Amino acid sequence: TFINIRLVEPYLSPEAHTLLLLLSLQVSPNLAAARMAANLSPKQAMLAVDELVEVGLLDTQQQIIAPAIIRLVLVRDSSRHLELLSALRDYTPECDAFTIFQQLYDLSQSFGGLGYWHDASEAYLHEARRLIGTHNWPAALALFETFADAETRNGVTPNSELRFLYAYVLNRVARYKEAEQVLEGVAETPEIKGIKSALCFRAGKHDMSRRLATEVYTSAHSSDWAKAMAANSLGALEQTSNNLQQAQYYFEQAAIHYSYLDMLDRALGARLNRANVLVDLALYDNACATYQQIIAQSEAFVGIQTRAYLALGHALNLQDRCDDAAEVLGQALKLEGLAET
């Protein structure tokens, strides 16, 4: 394909050549956006498409062939590359805009000026939510690192929602100190206070954790996500203080709020915390039934399922049901990928 484009490039009409390069810059080919970015009429665009199909650079479904190879043409002309990306930026819908802004930043360390900062933030937020929804933590962290670098380079006030999501992902991968650091100097939204309460609890700052969590949990302005994090922190604090009935209540509230958000893994984690409190209360039958429900619902979340098996084994052992406990712990070992001994 690279040989093909270099052979036919001098003979392509300017319209076909521009349209081809614009299409190569898109992850999801969008002919309408490329046409407007090229300032072509519908008729001009269709003639250009026919031309590209005829020379074998588009297929009959108007899909570009080997876009990564075609993009190599732009390597020798960075100003043209930047011009085309800037044109596409203005016509690409928000759901597809992330890759355009990403390429702009890679090329120029800018999104095209501060006038485009809001659009870039929204595009990065859209992609961040998608990555978090699929638990793609490495890709999400790479995105957040790039955007934080852009904020620093451009002297822009940190975006509170992106910084909250950044801290959330760092917390999920157990990089707690870094999660605290990315929140420094960021405006305290209920979500940020909620995750700060969790980080403070882990750091042993229980008074600060309780203050933040109580403020968020009792506020009518807090989102379900903020309330879920605050309730989870309050549950952990009450469990640490041996106020087990209160701990059970808060963990159940955390599970409810996470369920409202369809965050099944987080809801199951909160229910697991509640079941652990039931064990502390010696309510073994209730606890074991809860663990079994969690195991049945957590096939997509091996970490949670493993923890539930281990906790169930512990609860059974406390009841002197040693054979049942051994069988359950064997299931946990299988999930961990460990050899049976």
Side-chain angles (χ1 to χ4, degrees):
T1 301
F2 184 63
I3 293 172
N4 190 22
I5 189 173
R6 296 312 301 269
L7 287 172
V8 303
E9 189 179 17
Y11 304 103
L12 289 175
S13 67
E15 294 83 3
H17 190 238
T18 298
L19 190 67
L20 177 69
L21 294 177
L22 286 165
L23 289 170
S24 77
L25 294 172
Q26 299 173 321
V27 170
S28 302
N30 182 330
L31 183 60
R35 177 185 71 76
M36 290 185 286
N39 197 26
L40 300 177
S41 68
K43 182 177 180 180
Q44 286 175 311
M46 291 316 300
L47 287 172
V49 166
D50 290 343
E51 185 180 343
L52 294 170
V53 170
E54 185 176 347
V55 297
L57 295 173
L58 289 184
D59 64 23
T60 55
Q61 302 301 313
Q62 300 181 0
Q63 297 293 306
I64 194 166
I65 297 170
I69 295 175
I70 291 170
R71 281 197 296 273
L72 292 175
V73 173
L74 290 169
V75 170
R76 69 180 191 269
D77 191 349
S78 59
S79 61
R80 176 68 163 153
H81 194 175
L82 190 59
E83 175 192 344
L84 294 175
L85 285 169
S86 298
L88 270 178
R89 173 196 56 204
D90 296 334
Y91 297 103
T92 300
E94 181 184 304
C95 60
D96 295 324
F98 167 70
T99 56
I100 302 302
F101 280 111
Q102 184 183 43
Q103 290 178 78
L104 272 169
Y105 189 75
D106 288 344
L107 195 62
S108 67
Q109 303 296 288
S110 166
F111 297 125
L114 294 181
Y116 290 99
W117 194 263
H118 173 76
D119 292 342
S121 300
E122 290 300 310
Y124 271 73
L125 274 170
H126 187 277
E127 179 66 5
R129 294 187 193 106
R130 186 188 72 79
L131 293 171
I132 289 171
T134 59
H135 293 187
N136 190 342
W137 310 132
L141 287 174
L143 178 153
F144 293 128
E145 287 163 7
T146 298
F147 199 83
D149 178 69
E151 288 175 330
T152 301
R153 287 177 181 274
N154 289 272
V156 175
T157 301
N159 181 292
S160 294
E161 188 170 358
L162 275 162
R163 287 301 179 97
F164 158 65
L165 294 176
Y166 193 178
Y168 172 78
V169 173
L170 287 167
N171 186 50
R172 290 299 301 269
V173 299
R175 290 163 59 178
Y176 308 120
K177 186 63 72 174
E178 291 171 77
E180 291 182 43
Q181 290 169 353
V182 302
L183 295 176
E184 291 176 1
V186 180
E188 285 196 332
T189 62
E191 290 75 21
I192 285 179
K193 289 179 181 179
I195 198 163
K196 276 187 173 181
S197 73
L199 294 169
C200 285
F201 176 80
R202 287 190 177 278
K205 303 172 185 175
H206 290 183
D207 289 344
M208 177 68 76
S209 177
R210 186 179 293 278
R211 181 183 68 76
L212 290 167
T214 301
E215 184 178 335
V216 171
Y217 188 74
T218 57
S219 172
H221 303 292
S222 296
S223 67
D224 282 309
W225 200 346
K227 282 183 177 288
M229 290 184 293
N232 217 43
S233 294
L234 290 169
L237 288 161
E238 297 296 357
Q239 187 177 18
T240 300
S241 301
N242 207 36
N243 298 322
L244 300 181
Q245 293 293 348
Q246 279 293 94
Q248 180 187 178
Y249 167 79
Y250 281 122
F251 284 137
E252 181 62 24
Q253 291 303 304
I256 289 169
H257 285 291
Y258 279 128
S259 296
Y260 291 156
L261 299 165
D262 292 326
M263 296 177 73
L264 179 58
D265 61 323
R266 298 283 82 197
L268 290 171
R271 290 184 62 205
L272 183 59
N273 291 337
R274 178 179 175 272
N276 293 339
V277 174
L278 293 174
V279 171
D280 292 340
L281 288 165
L283 299 173
Y284 298 123
D285 289 345
N286 196 344
C288 289
T290 303
Y291 290 137
Q292 288 167 342
Q293 291 170 4
I294 293 168
I295 289 166
Q297 295 172 21
S298 59
E299 289 186 1
F301 311 109
V302 175
I304 291 174
Q305 194 172 57
T306 301
R307 287 167 54 205
Y309 270 120
L310 291 171
L312 176 58
H314 173 64
L316 291 169
N317 191 53
L318 289 174
Q319 300 172 75
D320 294 325
R321 295 169 59 182
C322 299
D323 290 343
D324 292 337
E327 183 179 347
V328 167
L329 292 173
Q331 292 296 320
L333 289 174
K334 287 179 183 178
L335 284 173
E336 289 284 353
L338 300 176
E340 291 187 31
T341 59

